[in-house]
DNA sequence: CGGAAGATTGATCATGATCAATGACAGTGG
DNA sequence: CCACTGTCATTGATCATGATCAATCTTCCG
């Protein structure tokens, strides 16, 4: 269970046994957290870092009108707030989606590991930067893609992220999000998410039942939404898709 | 001109003269960059960090279909890629909006300052975290706000960020973005941006001509879009607006 | 003055939101 | 074991925000 993190870090950086030991030592106070509860809330003063060992969580905000926006998904091996704890107070919430095993790692433990394990430090910084790159890609998703590609893109991303920690089997992974949660992630209405999922099923791109998502043909789904994995900065996967000449004034046409 | 950075950092952390000296020393190789040109491109291997001294720049991606999504604005005193340079290759572009003075700071110079100036280091980390918080808020903006509030929110944010570096006078600041650029930022069409701006003008919330934006009444504009400045983590401004009880299933009503 | 980029306006279209039921299903208590 | 309840998914009908298409109009600049 606790190897998700190590596995992820190793997809960024070679580690030695001592590194792995140190990482395993971080995982002491494991907390079992029920589904749909907050790990930390807006306004709280952060002290510890949260690491997800099992289950899914998310980062979200609630607007004054009650509207929720989910800004990140966390899967096993993910830190929820590796650096945020430097700030004065949380400007958002972190809550579980499914029941989770989570660890609260004191800031000091992180600093210690950073002082003594340069490879781990590099890998952790890499993680933080990838998280930010993911956030940027989500912005692109909301700003530039129609609803079907938007959702397909999310599925592709989760596929690669979960694969990196060994949580994909037979092109399938656990997808415990309700349609309402997907809607609040993608800036869509519940009903529209429902219809869009139906459409993706009809096109035989995916299957989704009993909280298990199966991607019938990964390459096809990637092509469907123009998925470019470069933002995940995995050591393996590089892109093979079309490339566009950059510069201003959105060149029309395909 | 080069004091924007120092001024910004001081809004996060007290600095001493030696800190200020060290920061000023960073600004050697100043480059004059024309409007609408790239500082760095997707695929490039990053080495230096870019700091904007004057002018405006942005972070953007071009999708395979030519669609551009702008993901961040940079104003004087902003680093474009304080940490990104750790990554293997750029997954996005950084380009100027108006003519800019920019500095390319070698990674080593940053590392040196971090080794010797703890207050500056803290302030820089703070900057990086605020940049990320801004990115999150932009996601909320695209995901959850209608077009008029979305644009109003952008105006409020820029107002506070520019004020922090002394670039606001008489409730006005330079706004050199074309409507096309605003559109590609907000995930809207050019025409709709145009109509939305007209509406904001009609409501006498703003004035925008000759590339100068004037906010008639800042508090009113904030109220209009439900602006909560907490995500900017400025030492002064704290929020006075309504607060919502967190937890799932978007509580309806006002 | 001429040309190009950007802004503006109008007409029409369509994606996705909203409103309103209904269905499926899991968990709970009798 | 089964009715009861609440949550989540599904479907249909209608609405509206914002996109698209097509002209101008303005402004800026060489």
């Amino acid at each position: 269970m606790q190897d998700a993190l190590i596995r992820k870090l190793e997809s960024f950086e070679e580690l030695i046994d001592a590194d792995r030991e140190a990482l395993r030592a971080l995982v002491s106070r494991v907390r079992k957290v029920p589904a749909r509860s907050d790990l930390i809330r807006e306004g709280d003063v952060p002290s510890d870092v949260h690491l997800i060992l099992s289950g899914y969580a998310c980062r979200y905000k609630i607007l004054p009108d009650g509207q929720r926006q989910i800004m990140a998904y966390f899967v096993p091996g993910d830190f929820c707030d590796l650096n945020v704890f430097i700030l004065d107070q949380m400007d958002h919430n972190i809550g579980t989606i499914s029941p989770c095993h989570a660890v609260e790692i004191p800031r000091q433990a992180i600093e210690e590991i950073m002082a003594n394990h340069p490879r781990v430090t590099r890998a952790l910084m890499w993680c933080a930067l990838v998280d930010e790159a993911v956030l940027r890609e989500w912005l692109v998703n909301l700003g530039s893609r129609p609803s079907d590609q938007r959702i397909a893109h999310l599925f592709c991303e989760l596929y690669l992220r979960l694969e990196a920690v060994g949580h994909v089997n037979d092109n399938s992974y656990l997808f415990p999000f309700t349609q309402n949660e997907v809607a609040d992630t993608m800036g869509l209405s519940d009903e529209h998410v429902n219809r869009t999922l139906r459409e993706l099923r009809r096109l035989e791109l995916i299957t989704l039942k009993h909280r298990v998502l199966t991607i019938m043909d990964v390459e096809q789904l990637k092509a469907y939404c123009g998925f470019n994995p470069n933002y995940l900065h995995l050591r393996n996967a590089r892109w093979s898709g079309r490339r566009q000449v950059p510069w201003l004034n959105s060149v029309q046409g395909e």
Side-chain angles (χ1 to χ4, degrees), chain A:
Chain A
M1 179 171 84
Q2 63 223 34
D3 283 346
L5 172 63
I6 293 174
R7 198 157 160 178
K8 184 171 76 156
L9 297 187
E10 284 186 318
S11 79
F12 296 141
E13 179 94 25
E14 305 275 356
L15 299 182
I16 62 174
D17 282 342
D19 294 332
R20 281 184 278 266
E21 271 323 299
L23 284 167
R24 268 191 267 268
L26 281 185
V27 180
S28 48
R29 289 186 290 152
V30 179
R31 195 148 69 97
K32 230 176 144 345
V33 187
R36 267 128 256 242
S37 53
D38 285 331
L39 294 176
I40 187 167
R41 299 226 174 129
E42 184 167 347
D44 289 355
V45 177
S47 58
D48 298 335
V49 171
H50 295 86
L51 169 66
I52 303 294
L53 295 181
S54 78
Y56 291 56
C58 71
R59 186 197 304 284
Y60 71 96
K61 272 190 193 187
I62 305 279
L63 297 195
D65 66 353
Q67 180 68 237
R68 173 180 58 172
Q69 178 66 45
I70 294 178
M71 299 175 291
Y73 288 171
F74 302 115
V75 303
D78 284 345
F79 287 101
C80 303
D81 42 14
L82 188 50
N83 292 308
V84 182
F85 70 93
I86 292 169
L87 289 175
D88 48 343
Q89 59 163 247
M90 292 296 287
D91 58 24
H92 60 265
N93 312 280
I94 292 174
T96 58
I97 294 290
S98 62
C100 286
H101 288 267
V103 212
E104 287 179 359
I105 303 172
R107 168 195 196 124
Q108 202 197 346
I110 299 281
E111 281 163 356
E112 218 160 84
I113 222 175
M114 287 207 163
N116 302 315
H117 297 268
R119 284 164 304 274
V120 175
T121 305
R122 259 196 308 278
L124 289 180
M125 293 179 75
W126 195 282
C127 277
L129 290 175
V130 169
D131 288 350
E132 207 177 320
V134 167
L135 181 55
R136 283 193 296 265
E137 192 63 32
W138 281 35
L139 191 78
V140 175
N141 222 9
L142 292 202
S144 305
R145 281 190 262 260
S147 62
D148 52 349
Q149 293 180 35
R150 209 183 284 186
I151 293 180
H153 194 280
L154 176 70
F155 290 163
C156 288
E157 178 186 303
L158 279 179
Y159 178 88
L160 290 180
R161 286 172 58 188
L162 287 167
E163 194 185 36
V165 291
H167 281 247
V168 173
N169 291 304
D170 295 327
N171 281 352
S172 302
Y173 56 85
L174 203 66
F175 190 84
F177 303 90
T178 65
Q179 294 183 355
N180 175 285
E181 285 156 352
V182 175
D184 285 352
T185 306
M186 303 309 243
L188 299 168
S189 69
D190 299 8
E191 297 89 335
H192 197 66
V193 167
N194 184 288
R195 284 184 249 264
T196 305
L197 289 175
R198 183 215 288 163
E199 177 66 9
L200 292 177
R201 265 188 293 244
R202 193 187 63 76
L203 293 171
E204 299 185 338
L205 290 167
I206 62 156
T207 274
L208 174 53
K209 55 179 177 237
H210 309 308
R211 320 262 106 149
V212 172
L213 181 84
T214 305
I215 300 181
M216 318 295 270
D217 179 338
V218 178
E219 288 313 312
Q220 206 182 331
L221 191 65
K222 283 185 184 171
Y224 184 77
C225 61
F227 188 84
N228 176 347
N230 70 347
Y231 73 99
L232 292 171
H233 296 274
L234 300 166
R235 275 202 309 204
N236 25 0
R238 284 269 149 243
W239 197 37
S240 58
R242 290 160 299 174
R243 190 57 73 90
Q244 197 76 14
V245 182
W247 204 228
L248 289 169
N249 297 327
S250 339
V251 185
Q252 267 330 320
E254 102 119 0

